[in-house]
Amino acid sequence: MKAVCSEISQDEDTYDFVVKDGVDLPTQDPNSIKIKVRACGLSFPDHKVLHEITKRNPKSDFCIGQEVAGTVIEVGSAVTAVKCGDSVVGLLPVDSTQSGCSSYCVFSEYDVVKIPEGSSFVHAAGCIGDAVRAYTALHYLARVCSGDTVLIIDGASSFGTVAIQLAQNWGAKVLTTASCEEERKYLESFQPSPARIIDVGEESNVLMSSVLEETGGLGVDCIIDSGVRQFTQDEDSSILVEEYRHPMPLKHEIILSLGVGGRWVTSQRDLQLDPPNSQVLFLKGASICFLFQHIWTLSAGQQGRYQHILSDSMQKLASGVIVPKITKKVSFDQVIPTLKGLGEMRIGKAVLEL
Protein backbone atom coordinates (compact mmCIF):
# COMPACT_ATOMS: atom_id res chain seq x y z
CA MET A 1 0.00 0.00 0.00
CA LYS A 2 1.23 3.51 -0.83
CA ALA A 3 1.35 6.20 1.85
CA VAL A 4 2.69 9.76 2.17
CA CYS A 5 5.41 10.35 4.78
CA SER A 6 7.76 13.12 5.85
CA GLU A 7 11.42 12.04 5.86
CA ILE A 8 13.79 13.84 8.23
CA SER A 9 17.47 14.45 7.51
CA GLN A 10 20.13 13.09 9.88
CA ASP A 11 20.80 16.53 11.34
CA GLU A 12 17.02 17.00 11.81
CA ASP A 13 17.20 20.40 10.11
CA THR A 14 15.47 19.51 6.86
CA TYR A 15 12.69 17.22 5.72
CA ASP A 16 11.01 16.14 2.53
CA PHE A 17 7.64 14.64 1.64
CA VAL A 18 7.81 11.24 -0.06
CA VAL A 19 5.48 8.45 -1.18
CA LYS A 20 6.39 5.08 0.33
CA ASP A 21 5.41 1.74 -1.21
CA GLY A 22 4.69 -1.49 0.63
CA VAL A 23 3.44 0.15 3.83
CA ASP A 24 1.72 -2.36 6.13
CA LEU A 25 -1.24 -1.67 8.38
CA PRO A 26 -0.94 -2.34 12.12
CA THR A 27 -2.46 -5.54 13.48
CA GLN A 28 -6.13 -5.19 14.34
CA ASP A 29 -7.33 -5.91 17.88
CA PRO A 30 -10.88 -6.73 19.06
CA ASN A 31 -11.71 -3.01 19.49
CA SER A 32 -10.33 -1.80 16.18
CA ILE A 33 -11.91 -1.18 12.79
CA LYS A 34 -10.48 -1.01 9.29
CA ILE A 35 -11.73 1.71 7.00
CA LYS A 36 -11.33 2.44 3.32
CA VAL A 37 -10.15 6.04 3.14
CA ARG A 38 -12.38 8.33 1.10
CA ALA A 39 -10.97 11.71 2.15
CA CYS A 40 -8.14 13.12 4.29
CA GLY A 41 -7.66 16.69 5.47
CA LEU A 42 -4.16 18.02 4.77
CA SER A 43 -2.34 19.88 7.53
CA PHE A 44 1.31 20.87 7.80
CA PRO A 45 3.10 18.66 10.35
CA ASP A 46 4.87 20.27 13.30
CA HIS A 47 8.19 18.41 13.16
CA LYS A 48 9.53 19.85 16.41
CA VAL A 49 6.51 18.52 18.29
CA LEU A 50 6.81 15.15 16.56
CA HIS A 51 10.48 14.89 17.54
CA GLU A 52 9.63 15.74 21.15
CA ILE A 53 6.88 13.11 21.30
CA THR A 54 9.05 10.37 19.79
CA LYS A 55 12.45 11.25 21.31
CA ARG A 56 12.52 8.05 23.39
CA ASN A 57 12.17 6.06 20.16
CA PRO A 58 13.59 8.35 17.46
CA LYS A 59 12.13 8.03 13.98
CA SER A 60 13.52 9.02 10.60
CA ASP A 61 10.11 9.62 9.07
CA PHE A 62 6.60 10.57 10.14
CA CYS A 63 3.28 9.71 8.56
CA ILE A 64 1.19 12.51 7.09
CA GLY A 65 -2.56 12.99 7.43
CA GLN A 66 -4.56 12.50 10.63
CA GLU A 67 -8.00 13.81 9.61
CA VAL A 68 -9.58 10.80 7.93
CA ALA A 69 -13.07 9.99 6.64
CA GLY A 70 -14.03 6.70 5.03
CA THR A 71 -16.15 3.56 4.99
CA VAL A 72 -15.87 0.76 7.55
CA ILE A 73 -14.92 -2.53 5.84
CA GLU A 74 -13.83 -4.67 8.83
CA VAL A 75 -14.68 -4.61 12.54
CA GLY A 76 -13.11 -6.34 15.54
CA SER A 77 -14.99 -8.90 17.61
CA ALA A 78 -15.64 -6.42 20.46
CA VAL A 79 -16.72 -3.45 18.33
CA THR A 80 -20.25 -2.24 19.06
CA ALA A 81 -20.34 1.42 18.02
CA VAL A 82 -20.09 0.94 14.24
CA LYS A 83 -20.62 -1.79 11.65
CA CYS A 84 -19.37 -2.59 8.17
CA GLY A 85 -20.65 -0.12 5.61
CA ASP A 86 -20.89 2.83 8.03
CA SER A 87 -19.40 6.16 7.00
CA VAL A 88 -17.09 7.40 9.76
CA VAL A 89 -14.60 10.17 10.48
CA GLY A 90 -11.85 10.45 13.06
CA LEU A 91 -8.31 11.53 13.90
CA LEU A 92 -5.27 9.28 13.82
CA PRO A 93 -2.90 9.89 16.77
CA VAL A 94 -0.14 12.32 15.86
CA ASP A 95 2.48 9.63 16.61
CA SER A 96 0.68 7.01 14.52
CA THR A 97 2.58 4.69 12.20
CA GLN A 98 -0.23 5.09 9.67
CA SER A 99 -0.79 7.78 7.08
CA GLY A 100 -4.25 9.10 6.34
CA CYS A 101 -2.98 9.71 2.80
CA SER A 102 -3.33 6.04 1.88
CA SER A 103 -6.00 3.56 0.81
CA TYR A 104 -6.78 2.04 4.22
CA CYS A 105 -6.40 2.87 7.93
CA VAL A 106 -6.98 1.05 11.20
CA PHE A 107 -8.70 2.98 14.01
CA SER A 108 -9.85 2.27 17.52
CA GLU A 109 -13.64 2.32 17.53
CA TYR A 110 -13.41 5.04 20.21
CA ASP A 111 -11.53 7.41 17.90
CA VAL A 112 -14.24 7.68 15.22
CA VAL A 113 -17.87 8.73 14.94
CA LYS A 114 -20.45 8.22 12.23
CA ILE A 115 -20.84 10.87 9.56
CA PRO A 116 -24.44 12.14 9.48
CA GLU A 117 -26.52 11.48 6.38
CA GLY A 118 -26.22 14.28 3.87
CA SER A 119 -22.68 15.23 4.91
CA SER A 120 -19.86 14.40 2.52
CA PHE A 121 -16.59 12.62 3.25
CA VAL A 122 -14.67 15.70 2.04
CA HIS A 123 -16.47 18.11 4.38
CA ALA A 124 -16.21 15.70 7.32
CA ALA A 125 -12.45 15.20 6.84
CA GLY A 126 -12.00 18.89 6.06
CA CYS A 127 -13.46 20.09 9.35
CA ILE A 128 -12.91 17.39 11.98
CA GLY A 129 -9.33 18.35 12.92
CA ASP A 130 -10.13 22.05 13.14
CA ALA A 131 -13.38 21.35 15.00
CA VAL A 132 -11.55 19.31 17.66
CA ARG A 133 -8.95 22.08 17.96
CA ALA A 134 -11.56 24.85 18.16
CA TYR A 135 -13.75 22.91 20.60
CA THR A 136 -10.73 22.28 22.84
CA ALA A 137 -9.72 25.95 22.77
CA LEU A 138 -13.14 27.52 23.25
CA HIS A 139 -14.90 25.07 25.54
CA TYR A 140 -12.34 23.11 27.54
CA LEU A 141 -9.60 25.75 27.86
CA ALA A 142 -11.23 29.19 27.58
CA ARG A 143 -14.68 28.20 28.93
CA VAL A 144 -16.33 30.62 26.51
CA CYS A 145 -20.00 31.27 27.15
CA SER A 146 -22.77 33.53 25.89
CA GLY A 147 -21.92 37.22 26.21
CA ASP A 148 -18.15 36.79 26.15
CA THR A 149 -16.03 38.77 23.69
CA VAL A 150 -13.54 36.58 21.84
CA LEU A 151 -10.61 37.60 19.63
CA ILE A 152 -9.62 34.92 17.10
CA ILE A 153 -6.39 35.58 15.23
CA ASP A 154 -6.28 34.61 11.51
CA GLY A 155 -10.01 34.08 11.17
CA ALA A 156 -9.80 33.17 7.47
CA SER A 157 -7.71 30.05 8.15
CA SER A 158 -9.45 26.69 8.31
CA PHE A 159 -9.12 26.65 12.10
CA GLY A 160 -10.14 30.29 12.45
CA THR A 161 -13.25 29.70 10.34
CA VAL A 162 -14.49 26.84 12.53
CA ALA A 163 -13.58 28.70 15.74
CA ILE A 164 -15.57 31.75 14.66
CA GLN A 165 -18.59 29.63 13.76
CA LEU A 166 -18.54 27.75 17.08
CA ALA A 167 -18.02 30.90 19.18
CA GLN A 168 -20.90 32.68 17.47
CA ASN A 169 -23.13 29.61 17.89
CA TRP A 170 -22.43 29.72 21.63
CA GLY A 171 -23.43 33.39 21.83
CA ALA A 172 -20.02 35.06 21.95
CA LYS A 173 -19.15 38.34 20.29
CA VAL A 174 -16.28 37.62 17.89
CA LEU A 175 -13.46 39.89 16.76
CA THR A 176 -10.95 38.56 14.24
CA THR A 177 -7.99 39.60 12.11
CA ALA A 178 -7.26 39.67 8.39
CA SER A 179 -3.88 40.26 6.77
CA CYS A 180 -5.06 41.05 3.22
CA GLU A 181 -8.12 42.18 1.28
CA GLU A 182 -8.96 38.64 0.14
CA GLU A 183 -9.15 37.46 3.75
CA ARG A 184 -11.33 40.44 4.70
CA LYS A 185 -13.80 39.77 1.89
CA TYR A 186 -14.04 36.12 2.89
CA LEU A 187 -14.67 37.01 6.55
CA GLU A 188 -17.29 39.59 5.55
CA SER A 189 -19.20 36.83 3.75
CA PHE A 190 -19.89 35.02 7.05
CA GLN A 191 -23.50 34.92 8.23
CA PRO A 192 -23.48 36.48 10.75
CA SER A 193 -20.24 38.31 10.11
CA PRO A 194 -17.75 38.93 12.95
CA ALA A 195 -18.40 42.03 15.05
CA ARG A 196 -15.12 43.52 13.85
CA ILE A 197 -12.45 42.51 11.34
CA ILE A 198 -9.10 44.04 12.22
CA ASP A 199 -6.65 44.59 9.37
CA VAL A 200 -3.21 43.66 10.67
CA GLY A 201 0.14 44.07 8.97
CA GLU A 202 3.52 45.51 9.79
CA GLU A 203 1.98 48.47 11.62
CA SER A 204 2.69 48.24 15.35
CA ASN A 205 -0.07 48.17 18.01
CA VAL A 206 -2.96 48.24 15.52
CA LEU A 207 -4.35 45.07 17.07
CA MET A 208 -4.32 46.35 20.64
CA SER A 209 -5.72 49.77 19.77
CA SER A 210 -8.53 48.26 17.68
CA VAL A 211 -9.48 45.79 20.41
CA LEU A 212 -9.55 48.47 23.11
CA GLU A 213 -11.58 50.77 20.86
CA GLU A 214 -14.13 48.02 20.14
CA THR A 215 -14.46 47.05 23.82
CA GLY A 216 -14.52 50.56 25.28
CA GLY A 217 -11.06 50.10 26.78
CA LEU A 218 -12.03 46.96 28.72
CA GLY A 219 -10.27 44.34 26.58
CA VAL A 220 -11.59 40.93 25.51
CA ASP A 221 -12.54 37.90 27.59
CA CYS A 222 -10.61 35.42 25.46
CA ILE A 223 -7.90 35.46 22.80
CA ILE A 224 -7.06 32.46 20.63
CA ASP A 225 -3.89 32.88 18.60
CA SER A 226 -2.13 30.83 15.94
CA GLY A 227 1.31 31.73 17.25
CA VAL A 228 2.89 35.03 18.33
CA ARG A 229 6.02 37.06 17.78
CA GLN A 230 7.98 37.16 20.99
CA PHE A 231 10.62 39.81 20.30
CA THR A 232 10.49 43.35 18.97
CA GLN A 233 14.16 43.60 18.09
CA ASP A 234 15.34 42.06 14.80
CA GLU A 235 18.57 40.97 16.47
CA ASP A 236 16.72 38.97 19.14
CA SER A 237 14.44 37.41 16.54
CA SER A 238 17.37 36.29 14.39
CA ILE A 239 19.24 34.76 17.35
CA LEU A 240 16.23 32.65 18.30
CA VAL A 241 15.29 31.91 14.66
CA GLU A 242 11.90 33.63 14.64
CA GLU A 243 10.78 33.51 11.03
CA TYR A 244 7.27 34.42 9.92
CA ARG A 245 5.87 34.47 6.41
CA HIS A 246 2.79 36.42 7.45
CA PRO A 247 1.97 39.11 10.02
CA MET A 248 1.70 37.83 13.58
CA PRO A 249 0.82 39.75 16.75
CA LEU A 250 3.44 40.52 19.36
CA LYS A 251 2.92 38.83 22.70
CA HIS A 252 2.68 42.15 24.53
CA GLU A 253 -0.16 43.19 22.18
CA ILE A 254 -2.02 40.02 23.13
CA ILE A 255 -1.48 40.57 26.85
CA LEU A 256 -2.57 44.23 26.74
CA SER A 257 -5.69 43.29 24.72
CA LEU A 258 -6.94 40.96 27.48
CA GLY A 259 -9.60 42.16 29.87
CA VAL A 260 -9.82 41.48 33.60
CA GLY A 261 -9.95 37.72 34.15
CA GLY A 262 -9.15 37.16 30.47
CA ARG A 263 -7.99 33.83 29.05
CA TRP A 264 -5.22 33.58 26.47
CA VAL A 265 -5.19 30.31 24.54
CA THR A 266 -1.91 30.08 22.65
CA SER A 267 -0.37 27.74 20.10
CA GLN A 268 3.12 29.09 20.80
CA ARG A 269 4.84 26.02 22.26
CA ASP A 270 8.01 27.90 23.31
CA LEU A 271 6.31 30.98 24.75
CA GLN A 272 8.60 33.03 26.98
CA LEU A 273 7.19 35.54 29.45
CA ASP A 274 9.37 38.29 30.89
CA PRO A 275 8.68 39.57 34.43
CA PRO A 276 6.81 42.67 33.13
CA ASN A 277 4.55 40.40 31.05
CA SER A 278 3.81 38.23 34.06
CA GLN A 279 3.07 41.27 36.19
CA VAL A 280 0.51 42.61 33.71
CA LEU A 281 -1.19 39.20 33.58
CA PHE A 282 -1.17 39.06 37.39
CA LEU A 283 -2.74 42.50 37.74
CA LYS A 284 -5.46 41.54 35.24
CA GLY A 285 -6.11 38.21 36.97
CA ALA A 286 -5.60 36.68 33.51
CA SER A 287 -4.51 33.17 32.61
CA ILE A 288 -2.69 31.35 29.82
CA CYS A 289 -3.56 27.95 28.35
CA PHE A 290 -1.59 26.03 25.75
CA LEU A 291 -3.55 24.57 22.85
CA PHE A 292 -2.42 21.09 21.85
CA GLN A 293 -5.46 19.19 20.59
CA HIS A 294 -3.53 15.97 19.91
CA ILE A 295 -3.55 15.22 23.64
CA TRP A 296 -6.99 13.65 23.16
CA THR A 297 -5.53 10.82 21.05
CA LEU A 298 -2.15 10.62 22.82
CA SER A 299 -3.79 10.00 26.20
CA ALA A 300 -6.17 7.22 27.20
CA GLY A 301 -7.96 9.53 29.63
CA GLN A 302 -11.16 11.52 29.13
CA GLN A 303 -12.28 9.48 26.12
CA GLY A 304 -15.90 10.34 26.87
CA ARG A 305 -15.17 14.04 26.40
CA TYR A 306 -13.30 13.33 23.18
CA GLN A 307 -16.19 11.28 21.82
CA HIS A 308 -18.52 14.14 22.70
CA ILE A 309 -16.35 16.59 20.74
CA LEU A 310 -16.33 14.32 17.67
CA SER A 311 -20.06 13.64 17.84
CA ASP A 312 -21.09 17.25 18.45
CA SER A 313 -18.80 18.47 15.65
CA MET A 314 -20.53 16.16 13.18
CA GLN A 315 -23.98 17.24 14.40
CA LYS A 316 -23.01 20.86 13.88
CA LEU A 317 -21.67 20.03 10.41
CA ALA A 318 -24.98 18.38 9.51
CA SER A 319 -27.03 21.30 10.88
CA GLY A 320 -24.96 23.94 9.08
CA VAL A 321 -23.43 25.53 12.19
CA ILE A 322 -19.99 24.44 10.97
CA VAL A 323 -19.44 25.21 7.28
CA PRO A 324 -15.83 24.35 6.35
CA LYS A 325 -14.14 26.26 3.55
CA ILE A 326 -12.67 23.62 1.23
CA THR A 327 -10.27 25.66 -0.88
CA LYS A 328 -8.75 22.74 -2.76
CA LYS A 329 -9.65 19.08 -3.42
CA VAL A 330 -6.67 17.07 -4.66
CA SER A 331 -5.87 13.58 -5.92
CA PHE A 332 -3.21 11.32 -4.39
CA ASP A 333 -0.64 12.42 -6.99
CA GLN A 334 -1.18 16.07 -6.01
CA VAL A 335 -0.73 15.58 -2.26
CA ILE A 336 3.02 16.31 -2.05
CA PRO A 337 2.91 19.55 -4.11
CA THR A 338 -0.10 20.64 -2.06
CA LEU A 339 1.66 19.94 1.26
CA LYS A 340 4.64 21.99 0.14
CA GLY A 341 2.32 24.92 -0.62
CA LEU A 342 0.24 24.83 2.57
CA GLY A 343 2.31 27.59 4.13
CA GLU A 344 0.97 30.01 1.54
CA MET A 345 -2.67 28.88 1.83
CA ARG A 346 -4.22 31.52 4.06
CA ILE A 347 -7.89 30.73 3.45
CA GLY A 348 -9.64 27.40 3.96
CA LYS A 349 -8.54 23.79 3.81
CA ALA A 350 -6.99 21.39 1.29
CA VAL A 351 -8.43 17.86 1.25
CA LEU A 352 -7.29 14.65 -0.42
CA GLU A 353 -10.26 12.95 -2.09
CA LEU A 354 -9.98 9.28 -3.03
Side-chain angles (χ1 to χ4, degrees):
M1 182 178 69
K2 290 184 178 181
V4 178
C5 298
S6 175
E7 284 192 340
I8 314 298
S9 64
Q10 291 185 350
D11 57 10
E12 298 185 358
D13 286 337
T14 59
Y15 58 88
D16 195 18
F17 298 111
V18 297
V19 175
K20 288 199 168 184
D21 289 314
V23 177
D24 296 324
L25 289 174
T27 304
Q28 289 182 245
D29 61 41
N31 293 107
S32 66
I33 63 173
K34 181 178 179 181
I35 73 169
K36 180 175 176 57
V37 178
R38 300 292 300 277
C40 179
L42 301 180
S43 299
F44 201 81
D46 190 329
H47 291 95
K48 289 186 177 180
V49 169
L50 290 171
H51 278 300
E52 186 66 24
I53 292 171
T54 61
K55 65 181 180 182
R56 290 187 178 180
N57 298 294
K59 299 168 66 175
S60 60
D61 57 56
F62 298 101
C63 293
I64 300 296
Q66 279 83 43
E67 305 146 66
V68 180
T71 306
V72 179
I73 59 173
E74 290 181 24
V75 297
S77 58
V79 173
T80 59
V82 297
K83 62 183 184 299
C84 289
D86 284 345
S87 299
V88 297
V89 64
L91 296 177
L92 289 169
V94 69
D95 61 345
S96 174
T97 58
Q98 305 176 79
S99 168
C101 299
S102 58
S103 299
Y104 302 95
C105 282
V106 173
F107 276 86
S108 164
E109 69 166 321
Y110 306 112
D111 288 341
V112 300
V113 292
K114 294 180 183 178
I115 299 174
E117 290 186 14
S119 299
S120 70
F121 291 108
V122 168
H123 281 87
C127 80
I128 191 63
D130 294 312
V132 169
R133 183 176 173 83
Y135 217 116
T136 303
L138 292 165
H139 183 68
Y140 286 103
L141 297 179
R143 306 290 182 180
V144 168
C145 57
S146 180
D148 281 352
T149 302
V150 180
L151 170 62
I152 297 172
I153 306 298
D154 290 335
S157 66
S158 59
F159 165 66
T161 294
V162 176
I164 289 172
Q165 292 167 349
L166 282 178
Q168 290 179 328
N169 180 252
W170 292 334
K173 175 183 177 180
V174 176
L175 318 181
T176 189
T177 65
S179 59
C180 65
E181 187 61 27
E182 185 181 5
E183 291 181 28
R184 168 173 276 277
K185 288 181 178 178
Y186 170 61
L187 292 167
E188 288 174 344
S189 70
F190 283 27
Q191 295 296 329
S193 61
R196 180 157 182 171
I197 302 168
I198 303 168
D199 293 310
V200 295
E202 300 303 324
E203 185 179 351
S204 177
N205 294 328
V206 65
L207 177 65
M208 179 187 67
S209 60
S210 298
V211 167
L212 295 180
E213 178 185 353
E214 181 65 30
T215 60
L218 297 176
V220 296
D221 299 295
C222 170
I223 298 177
I224 300 175
D225 69 37
S226 54
V228 295
R229 285 190 296 141
Q230 303 200 66
F231 307 100
T232 56
Q233 299 295 326
D234 292 339
E235 182 179 354
D236 294 336
S237 297
S238 62
I239 291 173
L240 292 164
V241 197
E242 277 200 321
E243 296 179 356
Y244 304 108
R245 296 181 180 179
H246 306 284
M248 296 186 74
L250 286 162
K251 64 182 177 184
H252 80 266
E253 285 188 282
I254 296 290
I255 293 170
L256 294 176
S257 297
L258 282 171
V260 171
R263 289 87 69 195
W264 175 15
V265 180
T266 182
S267 300
Q268 191 71 35
R269 63 178 177 274
D270 58 350
L271 181 67
Q272 299 180 35
L273 293 180
D274 300 320
N277 301 141
S278 298
Q279 183 167 346
V280 173
L281 289 169
F282 172 78
L283 293 173
K284 288 175 178 281
S287 58
I288 299 177
C289 297
F290 289 89
L291 178 56
F292 183 59
Q293 74 278 12
H294 299 295
I295 198 64
W296 295 111
T297 52
L298 288 172
S299 170
Q302 302 187 347
Q303 286 300 294
R305 291 183 177 184
Y306 180 51
Q307 270 285 312
H308 172 256
I309 294 174
L310 295 176
S311 179
D312 196 58
S313 297
M314 286 299 99
Q315 291 176 17
K316 284 179 167 53
L317 174 66
S319 64
V321 172
I322 293 177
V323 183
K325 173 70 172 177
I326 307 301
T327 303
K328 184 183 293 186
K329 290 188 285 187
V330 301
S331 65
F332 187 84
D333 292 337
Q334 297 171 308
V335 167
I336 290 180
T338 302
L339 286 169
K340 291 180 178 179
L342 283 182
E344 301 302 323
M345 184 180 293
R346 298 285 294 163
I347 298 176
K349 188 85 168 181
V351 178
L352 163 65
E353 185 176 24
L354 296 174

